[in-house]
Amino acid sequence: MKVLVTGADGFIGNNLRVVLGERPGTEVLAITRHSTADELAAAVRTADAVIHLAGVNRPQDPSEFAAGNADFTARLCAALTATGRPVPVAFASSIQAERDNPYGASKRQAEQHLAAYGQRSGAPVALYRLANVFGKWSRPDYNSAVATFCHNIARGLPIHVNDPAAAVHLVYIDDVIAECLRFLEAPGEGVRFAEAGPVHSTTVGQLAQQIEAFRDMRQSLVTERVGAGLVRALYATYVSFLPPEAFSYGVPKYGDARGVFVEFLKTPDSGQFSFFTAHPGITRGGHYHHSKTEKFLVIKGRARYRFRHLLTDETFELESSGDEPLVVDTIPGWSHDITNIGDDELVVMLWANEIFDRQKPDTFASRV
């Protein structure tokens, strides 16, 4: 399949080209603002489908809205009509098309040109009135407030929020790209308004607070809930704006004669992750918990675990090494310890089901 992408060097276009490049048998015909009319016509003649992303949204002169949106789309439709083929077209319009402003009017006129092309040719035409699209490779002070906030906060620069309660509607770049792929696989029939989503609704103030919370994670080590939905998408976007010198950050290390202990990630309600080391012959632990549970995984070296039941004095031992990964649980009501029985340093990954609370550590010394 040959897919013509207009605006191929823009925010959405860059993301789309990368994803299309991952698909065997797909060739991207890239049209940018630097492409000539002849190059556009040549690409249209061989295209199997068009993803029309080109447009102007922040011109120096308002007259550029009509030229960059409505007039360019009219030329695209004329070239498509000249092929005599019903080439499917998906168009990245805007929710601004519902409003009476120069930008919205130019997008609405572009929709009308495409609708007329679809009706004449019988080609499938999908019109997407996109909300504010955000994600990696967006431009600060251009594409969206998300891009501006992420760029500035990632660099320690101030942000400006005029009205924290102002509503904002967002759609994530990956969801837009996924809809483009669905259109290419099944364009449908006729001219229709279509949706890319989900659309996330929030406020400018909440958006700023969430992105600032991502910044603060590196100090508190407590992660935001970044596994799903809007927070997942915002976090991926924020991290994409980190400059290379900020790709890494240090965490505290606590050491003594036994080895070191390092916490590196904490969660709001699912515990924390850390690791510790032990020199040959060193035993760590020798305590029990009432409710806290832990999981140990030897990454390097050899270890012996010992357990003793507090009431029955029943004991249990097992060994593990980094060569054969084995997760070992600590059990409430059993004292436990771990000893380095190898000749090299022991390195152990540790997960605890709760963040360590120095006021209520639920950790009581007890022999094994």
Side-chain angles (χ1 to χ4, degrees):
M1 171 179 278
K2 293 183 178 182
V3 181
L4 191 161
V5 178
T6 69
D9 58 350
F11 162 42
I12 301 176
N14 281 326
N15 279 272
L16 179 60
R17 285 191 300 111
V18 169
V19 173
L20 290 177
E22 299 163 359
R23 296 162 61 90
T26 300
E27 179 183 351
V28 176
L29 307 175
I31 295 297
T32 72
R33 70 190 66 189
H34 305 296
S35 301
T36 65
D38 289 342
E39 289 171 334
L40 173 63
V44 168
R45 282 195 293 270
T46 61
D48 298 305
V50 176
I51 306 294
H52 181 22
L53 306 174
V56 173
N57 61 355
R58 293 182 184 271
Q60 297 293 323
D61 186 326
S63 65
E64 295 177 42
F65 281 128
N69 296 326
D71 295 348
F72 177 80
T73 301
R75 291 197 301 273
L76 173 64
C77 290
L80 287 166
T81 300
T83 68
R85 298 182 294 117
V87 181
V89 181
F91 175 48
S93 187
S94 167
I95 54 175
Q96 293 290 321
E98 302 170 359
R99 302 180 181 180
D100 290 326
N101 56 52
Y103 175 60
S106 67
K107 281 291 190 180
R108 194 162 56 248
Q109 290 165 9
E111 292 175 353
Q112 293 166 357
H113 288 309
L114 286 164
Y117 157 72
Q119 291 162 0
R120 288 194 308 269
S121 66
V125 173
L127 307 172
Y128 295 91
R129 288 186 170 177
L130 298 176
N132 295 285
V133 184
F134 71 99
K136 67 181 183 300
W137 305 332
S138 52
R139 291 168 53 188
D141 301 312
Y142 186 81
N143 287 125
S144 72
V146 175
T148 305
F149 288 173
C150 286
H151 175 272
N152 287 18
I153 292 171
R155 288 161 175 76
L157 302 174
I159 61 172
H160 303 287
V161 177
N162 295 325
D163 181 5
V168 60
H169 305 289
L170 304 168
V171 61
Y172 185 43
I173 185 64
D174 285 10
D175 293 323
V176 174
I177 300 306
E179 178 57 30
C180 290
L181 299 183
R182 282 192 289 270
F183 174 82
L184 292 175
E185 293 170 358
E189 297 180 357
V191 179
R192 60 189 174 89
F193 283 98
E195 295 183 357
V199 175
H200 305 280
S201 298
T202 184
T203 67
V204 175
Q206 291 170 337
L207 186 62
Q209 290 175 1
Q210 181 60 80
I211 297 171
E212 288 172 335
F214 296 150
R215 173 201 61 199
D216 297 342
M217 285 165 47
R218 290 188 167 190
Q219 294 299 319
S220 69
L221 302 185
V222 179
T223 181
E224 294 290 295
R225 293 179 173 87
V226 297
L230 176 60
V231 179
R232 171 182 178 270
L234 285 173
Y235 184 62
T237 305
Y238 170 74
V239 172
S240 77
F241 275 91
L242 290 171
E245 61 269 21
F247 283 2
S248 62
Y249 60 100
V251 293
K253 180 174 69 173
Y254 308 95
D256 56 28
R258 299 172 300 169
V260 301
F261 177 77
V262 177
E263 298 173 308
F264 77 93
L265 182 66
K266 303 177 183 181
T267 70
D269 50 20
S270 296
Q272 67 177 51
F273 297 86
S274 54
F275 77 88
F276 65 83
T277 67
H279 302 306
I282 292 294
T283 297
R284 304 193 70 141
H287 55 238
Y288 66 87
H289 314 294
H290 287 297
S291 297
K292 179 187 293 187
T293 62
E294 301 160 315
K295 293 181 182 292
F296 292 83
L297 175 65
V298 173
I299 303 299
K300 175 188 174 185
R302 295 178 58 232
R304 180 179 66 236
Y305 298 88
R306 299 191 304 166
F307 299 86
R308 181 181 64 83
H309 194 283
L310 293 178
L311 299 184
T312 66
D313 277 335
E314 176 186 354
T315 60
F316 177 70
E317 292 187 7
L318 63 88
E319 296 182 5
S320 72
S321 75
D323 296 331
E324 297 181 3
L326 180 73
V327 175
V328 178
D329 282 313
T330 64
I331 312 301
W334 289 71
S335 60
H336 51 272
D337 63 24
I338 180 172
T339 301
N340 182 350
I341 58 174
D343 298 326
D344 301 316
E345 182 181 54
L346 178 69
V347 182
V348 181
M349 179 74 75
L350 167 63
W351 170 82
N353 71 310
E354 58 190 41
I355 294 177
F356 182 70
D357 183 348
R358 294 187 182 278
Q359 302 303 314
K360 297 180 180 180
D362 190 12
T363 300
F364 303 91
S366 177
R367 66 172 180 82
V368 180

